[in-house]
Amino acid sequence: MPSNSDNTLPEFKFNLNNQSVRELPYGWAKQATVIDFPVSKNIAGVLMYLKPGGLRELHWHANAAEWGYVISGNVRTTIVDPEGRFEYNEFKEGDIWYFPRGHGHSIEGLSPEGTTFMLVFDNGSFSEFATFSLTDWLSQTPKEIVAKNLGLSQEELNSLPDKEVYIVPASENIGDKSENSSPLTHKYELMSQSPTHDHDGGKLWISSSVEFPISETITGAILQLNPGSLRELHWHPNADEWIYILSGKIRLTVFASSAKSSVVELEKGEVGYTPMGYGHSIENIGEEVCKIIVVFNSGVYEEISLTSWLSSNPESIVSGNLNLPPEIVKKLPKKEKFIISGKK
Ligand code: MN
Ligand code: MN
């Protein structure tokens, strides 16, 4: 059976695992951008690994804010804003960061075992022509200007890299203390919070700009579903949804209006995408608990679920619309279910 009901629909699934790796001595990165995954116009992702002491060099993104989730290990970030205010933070598994568009930052792996994290950007084309790295910049600038700017002689700059390094060893430990002169923190300990939704079938941890005020353009979440459980049919009026499967196996249904829809299965390492306003559901079809990173390109979280919608309407409307007898309509959920348990 074709995964799409209509071949004019794009693919809503992308295998990040199969992407070629940008491999460097101190780490690697794999990315899912709009180039390879055309439906993902507004959100892109990068899976990154840093060896101990590996530094994702100082850089900024001209067209996207960056949201990060630590999958395993520990990292330290530095960030500066246009007022010169800065923050250094350390992150553990389950913590997230948010860096506003254009703000200069770096990420350093601290764990002896290495550190893996997911970066998500609120622009599908964040990568090509829009990530500005320190070494790329300085190597593209006449040496005498760099020397003049830094108050050094050109000879003193002889060892400057002659092209972008991307990931390098960090030569010295700056110490383990967090420093902050920013009014708002860039760090949120997402998985240390109580879940926003806690049901028999699963849980959802949300961080919108309500919980994490600096995160003005992105809402991030972790969805955990027990085997057989369903994150019910719903849509988001204000945002696209990007998902990455950390563990388990799911079925994603996407309804694209006009008799068009898609049903795909996703496993660990795969990315799914649902454009703004498209109806969708996520069901755990595996044997294990599944854990999913969910990111929306709005700092305001909005959704309408099927059960909430139907239960808020008069029974006569639902009965007539769905051609269901009134006694059947009376059995429908009386309020939003959100997650429906797979347990019989
Ligand atoms: Mn970045
Ligand atoms: Mn959703």
Side-chain angles (χ1 to χ4, degrees), residues 8 80 129 146 199:
T8 61
V80 70
F129 317 117
V146 177
H199 300 265

Side-chain angles (χ1 to χ4, degrees), residues 236-247:
H236 304 284
N238 67 337
D240 293 6
E241 173 174 331
W242 184 98
I243 63 173
Y244 175 78
I245 314 302
L246 288 168
S247 64

Side-chain angles (χ1 to χ4, degrees), residues 231-232 234-236 241 274 280-282 294 296 301 303:
R231 170 70 182 98
E232 69 161 308
H234 66 282
W235 74 96
H236 304 284
E241 173 174 331
T274 304
H280 57 288
S281 66
I282 296 175
V294 186
F296 306 93
Y301 180 74
E303 54 101 359

Side-chain angles (χ1 to χ4, degrees), residues 112-175:
E113 310 77 39
T115 304
T116 306
F117 48 94
M118 180 59 75
L119 302 173
V120 184
F121 301 87
D122 58 357
N123 188 326
S125 341
F126 88 96
S127 181
E128 288 75 17
F129 317 117
T131 290
F132 291 74
S133 290
L134 176 64
T135 53
D136 192 13
W137 191 15
L138 297 188
S139 65
Q140 292 293 320
T141 304
K143 210 57 171 288
E144 66 269 23
I145 290 183
V146 177
K148 189 178 196 175
N149 198 146
L150 297 177
L152 297 169
S153 69
Q154 291 191 43
E155 293 66 42
E156 286 174 302
L157 293 173
N158 274 341
S159 59
L160 264 192
D162 59 5
K163 60 178 173 46
E164 180 185 40
V165 295
Y166 195 72
I167 294 173
V168 281
S171 56
E172 227 172 286
N173 197 314
I174 63 167

